[in-house]
Amino acid sequence: MSFYDAVVPAYLLILNSLTGELTKTEAHCETKKIAPEVLLGSRLYPDMLPLTKQIQLVCDHAARGCARLTHSAVPSTPDTETSIGELKQRLANTIEYVKSFKPEQFEGGDAKDVTFPVGPERTMTLKGQQFLNAFSFPNFYFHAVTAHGILRHNGVEIGKRDFLGVS
């Protein structure tokens, strides 16, 4: 398996599944007469980030992960989304960005150094494979599953199959 095949399909699977979950969220809000903003601001616990920020971070980790692993310019996307539609558009933009990478861009990326921020004034350098396994994927999946948990906790009828994109 190529490094590209280990990275890009994994990001795309979850980005697409979150898009589907947000579509179900729109229907849930309409059926239950819930203002979507209520869910967008929901958290699993008061000190955790709200749904909107969880989705934004999923997108950031996918886009920045691909960029760093291919030594491409790291994109910066302002966090301006205030609706489910805008979050779905951010997911769509991220999906298109991730799809724009070609397998050859990842060649040797598993062994190349990746330097990334780990705080306001600190950076860390890891080999690509270690960066993917110890930083990018764990953060990406953490925020994706937290977004899923927020939606499920608030009554959106989604489950594991939705998260895995097989519903």
Side-chain angles (χ1 to χ4, degrees):
M1 177 191 309
S2 72
F3 195 46
Y4 170 92
D5 290 328
V7 176
V8 171
Y11 285 135
L12 291 175
L13 174 72
I14 299 302
L15 291 166
N16 280 302
S17 73
L18 284 173
T19 301
E21 290 186 2
L22 287 180
T23 297
K24 287 187 174 188
T25 300
E26 287 175 311
H28 173 80
C29 288
E30 189 173 314
T31 300
K32 301 290 185 180
K33 307 293 185 232
I34 299 170
E37 301 78 38
V38 172
L39 292 184
L40 295 176
S42 294
R43 306 164 186 260
L44 286 180
Y45 196 76
D47 68 350
M48 293 180 77
L49 297 171
L51 176 63
T52 296
K53 188 65 177 174
Q54 300 293 343
I55 300 290
Q56 291 165 341
L57 286 166
V58 167
C59 293
D60 291 348
H61 281 287
R64 293 174 186 171
C66 285
R68 288 188 173 107
L69 290 167
T70 60
H71 292 259
S72 302
V74 176
S76 175
T77 306
D79 297 335
T80 59
E81 295 81 15
T82 59
S83 71
I84 293 173
E86 289 174 354
L87 286 173
K88 287 172 67 175
Q89 186 59 56
R90 183 170 179 146
L91 284 160
N93 293 345
T94 305
I95 288 166
E96 288 309 307
Y97 178 75
V98 170
K99 282 182 175 179
S100 75
F101 286 90
K102 305 294 179 231
E104 55 271 12
Q105 291 177 272
F106 284 86
E107 287 178 12
D110 56 329
K112 292 179 185 172
D113 284 344
V114 174
T115 301
F116 57 99
V118 290
E121 297 182 28
R122 281 188 48 217
T123 61
M124 180 181 283
T125 300
L126 299 171
K127 296 295 181 193
Q129 186 71 59
Q130 189 179 12
F131 165 76
L132 181 67
N133 291 337
F135 183 81
S136 187
F137 273 171
N139 279 285
F140 173 76
Y141 286 114
F142 173 83
H143 293 293
V145 79
T146 301
H148 175 89
I150 290 168
L151 294 173
R152 186 68 196 107
H153 178 74
N154 281 281
V156 178
E157 292 183 20
I158 54 173
K160 186 176 183 178
R161 294 178 63 80
D162 295 288
F163 183 79
L164 297 175
V166 295
S167 63

